[in-house]
Amino acid sequence: MSALDEPLKKILGGTTAKVMAEQLGLNTVGDLLHHYPRRYAERGELTRLSDLPLDEHVTVVARVADARVLKFNHGRGQRLEVTLTDGSGRLQLVFFGKGIHKPHKDLLPGRRAMFAGKVSVFNRKLQLAHPEYALLEGEGGEEAVDAFAGRLMPIYPACQQMASWKISKAVDAVLPSAREALDPLPEALRAGRALLPLPEALEKVHRPRTKADVEDARSRLKWDEAFVLQVALARRRMAETQLPATPRPLTPGGLLDAFDAKLPFTLTEGQRKVSREIFDDLATDHPMHRLLQGEVGSGKTLVALRAMLAVVDTGGQAAMLAPTEVLAQQHHRSITEMMGELAEGGMLGGAEQGTKVVLLTGSMGAAARRQALLDLVTGEAGIVIGTHALIEDKVRFHDLGLVVVDEQHRFGVEQRDALRGKGKQPPHLLVMTATPIPRTVAMTVFGDLETSVLDQLPAGRSPIASHVVPAKDKPHFLARAWERVREEVEAGHQAYVVCPRIGDEEDAPKAKGGKQKSAQEAGDGGDGGDADKRPPLAVLEVADQLLKGPLAGLRVEVLHGRMHPDDKDAVMRRFAAGEVDALVATTVIEVGVNVPNATAMVIMDADRFGVSQLHQLRGRVGRGAAPGLCLLVSEMPEASPARARLAAVAGTLDGFELSRIDLEQRREGDVLGQAQSGARTSLRMLAVIEDEQVIEAAREEATSVVAADPELAGYPELRIALQALLDAEREQYLDKG
């Protein structure tokens, strides 16, 4: 067993090891060596007392200004109050009962020490109650002072039960094992990029003598993470190219040509370019694996439909998977409308080279479902659109050639895998996402897919004006927002009002798929202010208030995920037909709803939604010739991070720019964790946005290493690192990717 696999309890003792395992997820020597300092304090460079965050665990270095023992409870109780100062502010420490004797002896005025605890407020003053502390001078004579003075002090991500310097002591105990760390980077790569050997990098990241040490160590450790991950992805891409697939070359004079001939508009240059990439992939004899990113409304569905028609022309079938029933029904409706008589193959009045387009969802009636299943197994239906119901064992295809997955991040790899098993050979795969993903994230998360980007909007799409409505600071702005909605309706247009919640949760079971929850989870809602104290605004309540108040007299209807599918469909049809003026809805309208006459959207409690979700929602308006308007209503105070996020959304229509902002404001793990599980969240050092160059370079290096030696026979250390990254469960997970 390598020294890095030693369990911590053998070295640190049971109690410490237990806290580390339970609170910090650290079990082995290697885990602790990879628990890197969050920052480094220099002597005199501290968390300034003037900047202390409330309710957080902090480590401060400060000097004792004064200390006094106070009696309370008629002299029966006593407490020690110590005031600290660091030149920027003051902080009170308090100790009670028997716990006051040692600090009373240690914390004399003038002494410097390091203190750790949770910042709270008492009598309007910040304080730490019973903090842990370590004296920084006096105790070990001159050497301790020098050792402290000459070094950068690592501050580790800590927890209540385990202060930063306790972790630091534990690191001291295991640091000698770092010399045995196996280096996963090929020697030529390390030398070529002048990177430190791994043992030295671990030594320097934990015990740097200078800031340059920290920089060198960090750049080396970032490379490890980026490179090992990219090797895993490169091997997956390589494995894909070995799989057989049925080539689906373009067939002249078929459905696709007939469809193109009846299109009432010309494709954008972007749509033509992306279609070419897809057709080239489909014509090869290994499965296409492509991620199609496109701004809201850039015409992804059209590009996907043309790919599906190309496959039907070769005698194959295409399946499109949507995350919700509403979306599957909409795709079915818009695709049959776009195809017209071409979607009525085998029916009276249908075109002779037409095909059948069937819908398959979980809530269909038995007869309709039986017919759909029959059409699939006989090959009568060339195109099927459905939800996860498509993946069930009962569903059989005649010859599945292409799978289109809409909204990848809601769709697990396991499901993609189950669908893939439905073809005689692995089908081609096209994944569509309307959440623009910065290139580096695409490389890190979807690195096993080739990426195509649709970044120009079709002609005739109108700009969308977005504004933040501060409902609490300026209530008259909200009144004006409802006036604007009335004005749009009077001009013959329609409006959406989006709320984070349905409103009957207390007495009804949660909707399947947790759709309601996502709105509140996506917005962290945790920026303080009174908005946190009340529940998020709900569709049923808001619709009721609007009908009685600001939108009285208008045709207002509701739409949410817990309605019966037929009712949902009926409401959407009425809205699309212009029979509803304002639709009060949850995020079920987030993707795929296409009503060009809808020009205004009011998003209530907008701070409870994530940045990309707001961008998605906003894309539902301005789809016609009239300009769109999106109003983001929030009760958050102006200075809060939530309002900054809303201002960013209001300030740009560029989804890629917004996804960058989103990523900078949240931690990587959230983003990668949303998109994938397992290996992808194991980034400790790498920041996906900042380290763009490292990721790109690592991808190139990884691709060439894997091309030359797919089994990594010449790189035993790299193989071991890969196994650690893809332990059994993740390995299987990635295999399914």
Side-chain angles (χ1 to χ4, degrees):
M1 178 155 104
S2 112
L4 272 65
D5 295 330
E6 284 278 357
L8 282 174
K9 60 171 176 281
K10 275 179 81 170
I11 295 170
L12 303 177
T15 336
T16 309
K18 186 168 185 247
V19 175
M20 287 200 160
E22 286 173 6
Q23 301 296 324
L24 300 166
L26 308 174
N27 299 296
T28 64
V29 169
D31 290 345
L32 181 52
L33 286 175
H34 288 297
H35 186 71
Y36 307 128
R38 195 175 53 213
R39 59 186 188 85
Y40 302 86
E42 295 178 64
R43 189 180 174 113
E45 181 266 338
L46 333 156
T47 302
R48 290 157 51 93
L49 294 185
S50 56
D51 301 339
L52 288 180
L54 195 56
D55 281 341
E56 279 192 29
H57 286 277
V58 296
T59 302
V60 298
V61 175
R63 195 175 292 286
V64 177
D66 60 59
R68 54 194 179 281
V69 176
L70 303 172
K71 300 250 191 281
F72 60 94
N73 206 355
H74 306 298
R76 285 199 295 277
Q78 49 179 1
R79 71 174 184 268
L80 169 67
E81 283 186 0
V82 179
T83 307
L84 303 181
T85 171
D86 69 348
S88 77
R90 296 168 85 78
L91 174 68
Q92 189 110 30
L93 311 180
V94 57
F95 300 87
F96 293 100
K98 295 204 172 63
I100 75 172
H101 304 308
K102 187 167 175 1
H104 194 201
K105 212 165 65 221
D106 290 342
L107 301 177
L108 304 173
R111 282 218 166 150
R112 282 169 67 86
M114 197 163 26
F115 301 89
K118 189 173 182 180
V119 184
S120 57
V121 168
F122 181 71
N123 275 342
R124 311 193 68 147
K125 283 195 190 141
L126 292 182
Q127 71 165 24
L128 300 181
H130 282 280
E132 297 193 52
Y133 62 89
L135 293 174
L136 292 176
E137 42 204 64
E139 281 195 334
E142 285 304 299
E143 307 87 82
V145 180
D146 287 348
F148 173 60
R151 280 287 172 101
L152 292 167
M153 226 169 17
I155 308 287
Y156 288 91
C159 63
Q160 192 169 357
Q161 298 85 339
M162 182 71 59
S164 170
W165 59 78
K166 286 195 171 165
I167 297 174
S168 192
K169 272 198 166 123
V171 169
D172 284 337
V174 300
L175 206 50
S177 307
R179 292 184 205 115
E180 296 180 43
L182 290 176
D183 200 326
L185 292 191
E187 182 53 40
L189 185 157
R190 199 176 61 67
R193 296 196 175 263
L195 296 167
L196 296 179
L198 183 56
E200 193 182 327
L202 288 170
E203 176 86 34
K204 284 186 167 167
V205 81
H206 289 292
R207 298 294 173 259
R209 294 183 171 277
T210 61
K211 287 184 173 166
D213 281 357
V214 176
E215 278 314 297
D216 293 347
R218 289 180 70 102
S219 49
R220 160 64 216 240
L221 295 166
K222 281 178 177 180
W223 255 93
D224 278 20
E225 286 177 17
F227 181 71
V228 175
L229 181 57
Q230 292 300 340
V231 166
L233 293 166
R235 289 185 72 189
R236 285 207 31 71
R237 287 196 300 276
M238 182 93 166
E240 295 299 347
T241 60
Q242 311 302 315
L243 285 175
T246 309
R248 308 280 177 180
L250 285 177
T251 314
L255 250 177
L256 178 61
D257 285 353
F259 175 75
D260 283 351
K262 64 190 277 302
L263 271 181
F265 50 81
T266 54
L267 298 176
T268 65
E269 184 42 51
Q271 286 172 322
R272 279 202 293 270
K273 176 175 149 286
V274 170
S275 290
R276 276 197 301 275
E277 292 171 348
I278 293 172
F279 293 145
D280 289 348
D281 281 359
L282 288 174
T284 62
D285 52 13
H286 53 82
M288 160 169 86
H289 259 88
R290 198 164 272 285
L291 174 69
L292 172 56
Q293 296 194 55
E295 276 290 7
V296 180
S298 56
K300 291 183 300 298
T301 314
L302 178 62
V303 168
L305 175 56
R306 294 183 72 236
M308 298 200 301
L309 295 175
V311 168
V312 176
D313 278 340
T314 65
Q317 290 168 296
M320 183 183 233
L321 268 164
T324 64
E325 293 210 346
V326 171
L327 202 58
Q329 286 161 343
Q330 275 165 20
H331 276 317
H332 182 251
R333 196 161 51 236
S334 64
I335 281 175
T336 45
E337 277 167 11
M338 280 200 261
M339 287 175 64
E341 74 278 12
L342 296 175
E344 296 164 3
M347 297 185 231
L348 263 174
E352 57 192 85
Q353 75 264 63
T355 186
K356 245 188 184 178
V357 179
V358 300
L359 177 68
L360 189 62
T361 61
S363 65
M364 281 168 77
R369 191 180 166 77
R370 247 197 325 274
Q371 183 59 51
L373 290 171
L374 189 66
D375 288 342
L376 284 180
V377 76
T378 58
E380 190 79 359
I383 294 177
V384 57
I385 295 153
T387 52
H388 303 61
L390 276 178
I391 297 164
E392 288 170 18
D393 288 346
K394 294 193 275 295
V395 182
R396 294 270 174 274
F397 288 86
H398 174 65
D399 177 13
L400 180 60
L402 169 68
V403 176
V404 179
V405 179
D406 190 9
E407 287 302 297
Q408 158 75 10
H409 51 278
R410 305 226 176 111
F411 200 79
V413 174
E414 287 76 9
Q415 288 123 323
R416 257 163 55 182
D417 188 46
L419 204 75
R420 194 189 248 171
K422 304 253 180 218
K424 294 174 182 156
Q425 286 192 316
H428 297 278
L429 175 71
L430 180 65
V431 173
M432 302 198 294
T433 172
T435 310
I437 306 165
R439 274 187 58 238
T440 42
V441 180
M443 277 187 221
T444 312
V445 180
F446 301 109
D448 50 344
L449 302 173
E450 299 297 328
T451 306
S452 295
V453 178
L454 272 177
D455 47 13
Q456 55 185 137
L457 293 182
R461 290 298 299 267
S462 305
I464 305 169
S466 308
H467 304 284
V468 179
V469 178
K472 200 161 194 151
D473 316 344
K474 302 182 175 159
H476 57 286
F477 275 39
L478 183 57
R480 176 74 189 114
W482 300 124
E483 280 171 25
R484 283 290 291 116
V485 170
R486 291 195 86 101
E487 286 164 16
E488 289 297 314
V489 171
E490 277 156 22
H493 299 302
Q494 292 158 279
Y496 296 101
V497 179
V498 182
C499 306
R501 205 163 58 94
I502 295 176
D504 53 2
E505 282 82 356
E506 291 68 34
D507 42 44
K510 256 286 180 241
K512 272 211 175 90
K515 193 70 187 95
Q516 257 39 63
K517 197 174 60 175
S518 68
Q520 288 129 64
E521 284 176 349
D524 43 24
D527 289 320
D530 293 337
D532 275 358
K533 299 199 178 76
R534 64 163 172 76
L537 290 171
V539 167
L540 302 174
E541 294 149 25
V542 169
D544 196 42
Q545 290 160 9
L546 291 176
L547 273 168
K548 290 177 181 155
L551 302 186
L554 298 188
R555 298 168 299 174
V556 176
E557 294 209 25
V558 299
L559 177 72
H560 58 74
R562 250 195 331 266
M563 289 163 62
H564 187 278
D566 294 349
D567 298 341
K568 280 193 281 205
D569 208 39
V571 171
M572 270 320 301
R573 278 178 197 280
R574 286 200 294 279
F575 189 64
E579 294 159 21
V580 175
D581 298 321
L583 187 62
V584 184
T586 54
T587 53
V588 289
I589 61 150
E590 181 180 353
V591 248
V593 177
N594 187 16
V595 180
N597 190 44
T599 53
M601 176 176 285
V602 181
I603 303 179
M604 307 303 290
D605 279 346
D607 47 88
R608 308 224 181 208
F609 297 88
V611 170
S612 57
Q613 207 171 16
L614 290 169
H615 182 59
Q616 283 282 342
L617 286 165
R618 167 171 66 186
R620 301 296 113 215
V621 295
R623 299 176 80 88
L629 171 69
C630 178
L631 301 173
L632 306 166
V633 180
S634 170
E635 293 191 357
M636 285 297 174
E638 193 162 357
S640 63
R643 278 281 291 278
R645 218 171 43 226
L646 295 180
V649 175
T652 175
L653 289 173
D654 178 345
F656 287 92
E657 179 54 32
L658 282 176
S659 62
R660 266 188 104 95
I661 292 170
D662 197 16
L663 203 52
E664 279 161 6
Q665 291 187 348
R666 303 206 314 241
R667 291 192 326 283
E668 250 75 33
D670 305 342
V671 177
L672 305 187
Q674 256 186 356
Q676 303 282 17
S677 72
R680 313 304 170 86
T681 48
S682 59
L683 302 184
R684 295 190 175 98
M685 213 24 124
L686 201 63
V688 176
I689 287 284
E690 291 159 36
D691 298 321
E692 195 157 350
Q693 284 145 331
V694 178
I695 293 171
E696 285 189 28
R699 181 177 164 121
E700 280 171 32
E701 296 273 10
T703 309
S704 60
V705 164
V706 171
D709 181 357
E711 291 307 308
L712 306 178
Y715 304 102
E717 295 85 357
L718 177 56
R719 274 214 315 278
I720 292 168
L722 261 186
Q723 280 156 3
L725 176 73
L726 316 173
D727 49 37
E729 166 257 337
R730 289 174 183 167
E731 181 70 278
Q732 171 198 359
Y733 172 88
L734 270 183
D735 273 349
K736 288 183 173 173

